[in-house]
Amino acid sequence: MTTAAPSAELESFNPLDGDRLGAVAATSAAEVQAVVDEVAEVQPFWAGLPMSDRARYMRRAAQVVIDNLDELSELLTREQGKPRNESYTMELLPTVDALRWIAEAGPHILADERVRMPTFLKQKRARHAFEPLGVVGVIAPWNYPWSIPFGEVAIALMAGNGVVLKPAPLTPLIGQRIQWVFERAGLPDGIVRTVHGDAEPGQALVESSVAKVFFTGSVEVGRKVGTSCAEQLKGSVLELGGKDPMIVCADANLPNAISGCLWGGFANAGQTCAGIERVYVVKEVADRFVEGVVQGARALRVGDPMDWTTEVGPMVSREQFDIVSELVDDAVASGATLHCGGPLEIEGFPEAAFYAPAVLTGVTHDMRIMREEIFGPVVPIVTVESEEEAIGLANDSEFGLGASVWTLDRGRGERIGRRIESGMVWINDHMYSHGACSCAWGGVKHSGLGRAHSKFGFYECANVKLLAWEPSRTRDFWWHPYDEALGTAVHAAAQLLYGRDADKSQALRRVVRPGIEVARKSLRDVLKR
């Protein structure tokens, strides 16, 4: 008697101490299409449910998350390394609120939308219908392994789609928990499936028959995902990271701006796509701002992320730690000043890749650290002569995800914000809107394509179909046969409906005779009945 070979496993390890947290069954590239096919079998039943039923399941999913907050926060912190308070505030709470918003707003956003017809088509009726795409693929990152994919999965489901989720290989356990939440909420078995592994199953998911791919990750991989989807004539939504600038004006509330810089730059150990990676502060307040940020960075507590007082945990991997160290060392070698921070060893955690919050000045745009994504707890600060210079430097980047402007003058903040090349601008805060699912999320330039969250995220998950109705009482006036009367009538009608007031009396006289002839032909079939 022979036994089946055991399935390959993908193991998960704690970045703090290297302990094995668990494992999931790995998915080979050859198995991915079968998973998509199985979801596709369930999807029509799910799409056929009334919108109110789908909304009810979203609310039930929210309750499942609430009922398991402590267990989920512990798993998030142990697997990814973010402080436990951030697991609550930056991942779990936003998800609960997102599910409630999706349930409340989804039926209205996805309801048929009546279309106003132009004057010469007033007898016709039309509406836009938002139909499910089928099966959607979601490829998730490791930095926010819960909140980023969860919102995309939930919106896709609310729109009537099935979902195949591919978590990052560094965080498979929390990714699998997303599927578990929807199963516990009672959604049809198989409407959400998870595939695990490195790049191969992810690429197989992109090349499979999924109707659309949501990808969050690097520019290099995202470009390949977008290219592959385009070759298959299907859509993709790409969130590819950022190099977010912070502009500090002379009239900013400086203590608030300093606190915002510390959180925006060092939350999640700086491993945030929309984290603050460049600061431009006008010279009038630069010295006080730098002093405050350096003092605050030194005071942040680095250590065990399960400790409630820890503010910066270990980096997710030694590889990411090495990237950050290399960029900082290159900046210092090129003339930048490192005021604080850097590699840190903490007794009892020899496996952990701790990097203490770092603050740099004397940086220039010739340095790699100002052009490449750092993705670590490092804040480079540049003193500028004016807001105009700050805007120019802020736009001097291939990235364009988010940006923030710090000023007590709302008008000034909005004027500056409109000139910054980015998908999002926050005034006197930074990146918080990812926690508000009603707000659109996405970037420009190399930061990606498309939008997640908001009504635009729903539209990304739907086929927009026009449904038009004609009462069939008359023939359309532009149908055959053609003659001079038709052209004359259309010309005169255009002047009458849309032209200058001075021309309308003449147009009215011109339209009478050809108009009668056109109307007679339009009524011809009616008169024959």
Side-chain angles (χ1 to χ4, degrees), residues 25 38 134 172 188 194 248 251 346 372 381 387 393 397 407 432 526:
E38 290 167 4
T194 309
V248 184
D251 69 336
I346 297 180
E372 299 177 23
I381 303 176
E387 294 167 3
L393 290 172
S397 173
T407 173
Y432 68 92
V526 176

Side-chain angles (χ1 to χ4, degrees), residues 14 27 33 37 86 126 133 148 161 202 211 217 233 252 294 308 348 357 366 368 397 428 456 500 504 520 528:
N14 189 330
T27 312
Q33 182 59 58
D37 291 341
E86 291 181 1
L133 297 173
I148 289 178
N161 301 289
L233 295 180
V294 171
W308 290 106
D366 295 330
R368 289 175 57 201
S397 173
N428 296 326
F456 303 107
R500 290 186 294 267
K504 289 186 177 181
R520 185 187 64 78
K528 287 180 179 179

Side-chain angles (χ1 to χ4, degrees), residues 96-115:
V96 173
D97 186 77
L99 286 165
R100 302 290 294 190
W101 178 80
I102 289 166
E104 179 181 348
H108 302 286
I109 294 171
L110 296 170
D112 286 1
E113 179 183 274
R114 184 177 176 181
V115 179

Side-chain angles (χ1 to χ4, degrees), residues 99-330:
L99 286 165
R100 302 290 294 190
W101 178 80
I102 289 166
E104 179 181 348
H108 302 286
I109 294 171
L110 296 170
D112 286 1
E113 179 183 274
R114 184 177 176 181
V115 179
R116 291 188 62 184
M117 303 298 282
T119 302
F120 62 90
L121 297 176
K122 280 299 182 183
Q123 79 279 13
K124 301 180 186 294
R125 299 291 181 266
R127 65 183 188 271
H128 290 138
F130 301 95
E131 298 182 340
L133 297 173
V135 180
V136 171
V138 175
I139 302 177
W142 52 258
N143 61 328
Y144 289 89
W146 180 266
S147 62
I148 289 178
F150 204 113
E152 295 169 351
V153 170
I155 286 179
L157 288 170
M158 188 66 210
N161 301 289
V163 179
V164 178
L165 169 65
K166 162 64 173 66
L170 287 174
T171 52
L173 301 183
I174 199 66
Q176 189 66 41
R177 283 303 231 182
I178 294 175
Q179 176 181 329
W180 174 84
V181 164
F182 288 109
E183 290 174 345
R184 286 291 298 269
L187 275 74
D189 289 342
I191 194 65
V192 179
R193 293 283 299 277
T194 309
V195 296
H196 292 284
D198 292 320
E200 290 79 10
Q203 182 62 29
L205 182 60
V206 172
E207 295 174 355
S208 74
S209 60
V210 294
K212 196 164 197 172
V213 175
F214 285 75
F215 172 83
T216 304
S218 70
V219 175
E220 179 184 4
V221 178
R223 183 179 286 113
K224 294 177 181 177
V225 170
T227 299
S228 180
C229 288
E231 288 174 346
Q232 300 171 73
L233 295 180
K234 65 187 179 188
S236 60
V237 175
L238 310 175
E239 204 265 76
L240 308 180
K243 191 74 182 168
D244 282 18
M246 173 187 190
I247 295 178
V248 184
C249 300
D251 69 336
N253 178 338
L254 217 54
N256 194 53
I258 291 168
S259 296
C261 179
L262 292 169
W263 183 80
F266 301 129
N268 197 30
Q271 300 166 125
T272 303
C273 301
I276 294 171
E277 292 214 358
R278 299 176 289 150
V279 179
Y280 304 104
V281 53
V282 296
K283 63 180 180 180
E284 291 92 330
V285 295
D287 290 344
R288 285 184 291 152
F289 179 82
V290 171
E291 181 182 0
V293 172
V294 171
Q295 182 179 352
R298 286 174 174 157
L300 291 175
R301 291 166 289 201
V302 183
D304 182 353
M306 286 299 293
D307 186 328
W308 290 106
T309 63
T310 293
E311 289 150 335
V312 179
M315 303 204 68
V316 74
S317 67
R318 183 62 58 177
E319 289 76 15
Q320 192 60 37
F321 171 91
D322 290 341
I323 291 171
V324 174
S325 297
E326 180 184 341
L327 287 172
V328 173
D329 291 346
D330 177 78

